[in-house]
Structure formats: structure tokens, C-alpha cells
Amino acid sequence: MGTQELLLAAGVGSGDEVVVPSYATTAAAEAVRSVGATPVFADIDAASYCLAPASVAAAVTARTAAIVVAELFGHPADLASLRLVTAACPLPVINHIEPSDIGRAADRDAARRRRMNAACLDARLTGVLTPVVPPGIEHRYHSYVVRVPGNGRPDRDAFARALRSRGVDCRVPVKTPVHRMPPFRRELRLPQTERAVDECLALPVGAGMTRRELHRVVSACNALGGLLPYGAAA
């Protein structure tokens, strides 16, 4: 079932609030609106890009009827911690899957190849902050998202332009957080969301990539030295 159907099955409707991520597409927030409820935005964890349990706990009110998580890049959400922070008043936790990710999520062999490609990039990339994946977590790498250190969005965008000029098909995964878009605008401070919007860049990691293609990505990235160390941008 899609997110809208899962919300309806959980009894969510008019007058309810549903906690959703702002670092995402608008699909989850739109699904909440479609059942008559109000999306309430929470911040993300800086490593997983999934909802941060502490931020979710701060967003929960007496009107909260559910939590919608989005595993945007293939990193599993911390469902156990989300349920723990709402233990006093248990809420349904609904996993939103983007339509473009449904087939990839089901293909175990492709996920294995993407992990191998990601490991290759992890071991060789310099000048960017590679994904942080704790031991025991099976990241599916729908996207391989790095952070470009330096002066936030200006350096990230310049880095992306330079990569594209070298033939690397990179993209900014989330250009505008949902809570800054006109249909959903809220005056909120979501620092990890805002920082991710400014720093993140998705590099190619597809299951069908060859070693030569991976080497091209590494060579192009590593040739673009000179950016500030990550800690200097904090």
C-alpha cells in the first residue's frame, strides 16, 4: 500500500497531525494532506538523513496521529528509537517509499552491487565526506550522497559544476526543504535539514557501473582539491 492508504488504514484523518521529514520530496507531506491531516516537520539525523528521534519527540503534540519516515537514500530509519521516544503514547510509524525506489528496494542483487560500488568509493574518495553507515546497518544505496565541505551551498554547487564538466553525472538530492516550499511553508529552525540542503551531493553508484566508471568518479572528485577541511566548516 502507498502512504495515503497506510495513513487511512491507521485511522488518520481531518484534524490530525502527522510528523514528516522536510529533507525529502513533497510526496509524504502531500499524502498527509490528502487524508485531511496536517504535516508537521521534524529535523533529520546528520548521518542517516532519516528523521531524528529527538526532533520527532519535540514535534509530537496531543493531535499527533502518526509518524511518516522516508528512507530517502536507502539508509534504514531508526524505527526502534522512534517508537521509544513515543512510548508514552504509541503512534503508528509509516515507512514512505518513493515510487522510483520501489523496484530498487526489492532487488537484492542490485542492492549488493550498489554496496560494492559504494565501498569502492568510500575507500578512494578524498575531499568529500562519504556516507556514515554504522556496523550492522544494510544501506541499500538508492543514492550515494556525500557532503562537500567548505562554504555550504556555494562550494557544493561549484563542486557539482566541476564534476559535470568532467563527465560525472551528479545531482543535488534535495534542493529546497519541504518546509520552505510555498504550499507547506513553516517558520521553523531545522538545522540539520538546512545544512544537508546546502552541502549534499549525490554521486553515481548504480548497480551496472563498471570499475572504469567508478574510477572516473573518484579521479574527478579527487582532482578537485583545495576545499576547507570538514571540521573548519562546522
Side-chain angles (χ1 to χ4, degrees):
M1 289 193 293
T3 302
Q4 180 180 352
E5 290 78 13
L6 291 170
L7 287 166
L8 289 171
V12 178
S14 179
D16 291 332
E17 295 178 350
V18 178
V19 180
V20 298
S22 180
Y23 189 72
T25 69
T26 60
E30 288 169 350
V32 172
R33 283 246 181 110
S34 73
V35 301
T38 300
V40 175
F41 300 103
D43 210 354
I44 55 169
D45 175 79
S48 71
Y49 304 105
C50 298
L51 281 175
S55 184
V56 170
V60 168
T61 71
R63 295 174 58 193
T64 305
I67 300 166
V68 174
V69 299
E71 298 175 359
L72 196 60
F73 308 132
H75 190 296
D78 189 354
L79 299 181
S81 292
L82 286 173
R83 292 189 175 104
L84 186 63
V85 299
T86 61
C89 183
L91 296 167
V93 178
I94 294 169
N95 192 5
H96 171 78
I97 300 177
E98 292 292 322
S100 60
D101 287 339
I102 291 174
R104 290 186 293 185
D107 191 336
R108 292 179 179 273
D109 187 56
R112 178 185 60 82
R113 293 196 299 270
R114 289 195 300 269
R115 286 191 196 101
M116 291 175 60
N117 292 343
C120 177
L121 296 175
D122 286 345
R124 293 168 174 79
L125 283 173
T126 61
V128 296
L129 190 68
T130 55
V132 177
V133 184
I137 296 295
E138 287 199 351
H139 199 311
R140 292 181 294 277
Y141 289 103
H142 299 157
S143 297
Y144 184 86
V145 175
V146 300
R147 289 182 184 251
V148 179
N151 189 29
R153 188 174 302 198
D155 280 354
R156 190 273 314 280
D157 289 352
F159 193 91
R161 287 193 297 271
L163 285 184
R164 293 186 192 111
S165 73
R166 289 163 168 79
V168 175
D169 184 20
C170 60
R171 62 183 178 83
V172 176
V174 177
K175 294 181 179 179
T176 306
V178 182
H179 77 283
R180 298 295 186 205
M181 295 182 180
F184 301 99
R185 185 175 293 279
R186 302 284 190 279
E187 291 304 320
L188 299 173
R189 184 174 182 273
L190 302 177
Q192 294 301 337
T193 293
E194 302 281 359
R195 186 170 183 176
V197 165
D198 287 347
E199 295 180 348
C200 286
L201 188 67
L203 302 179
V205 74
M209 289 183 70
T210 65
R211 289 291 169 180
R212 181 186 293 272
E213 290 169 332
L214 288 167
H215 179 70
R216 182 186 302 138
V217 173
V218 170
S219 295
C221 286
N222 292 357
L224 298 173
L227 293 176
L228 293 172
Y230 187 74

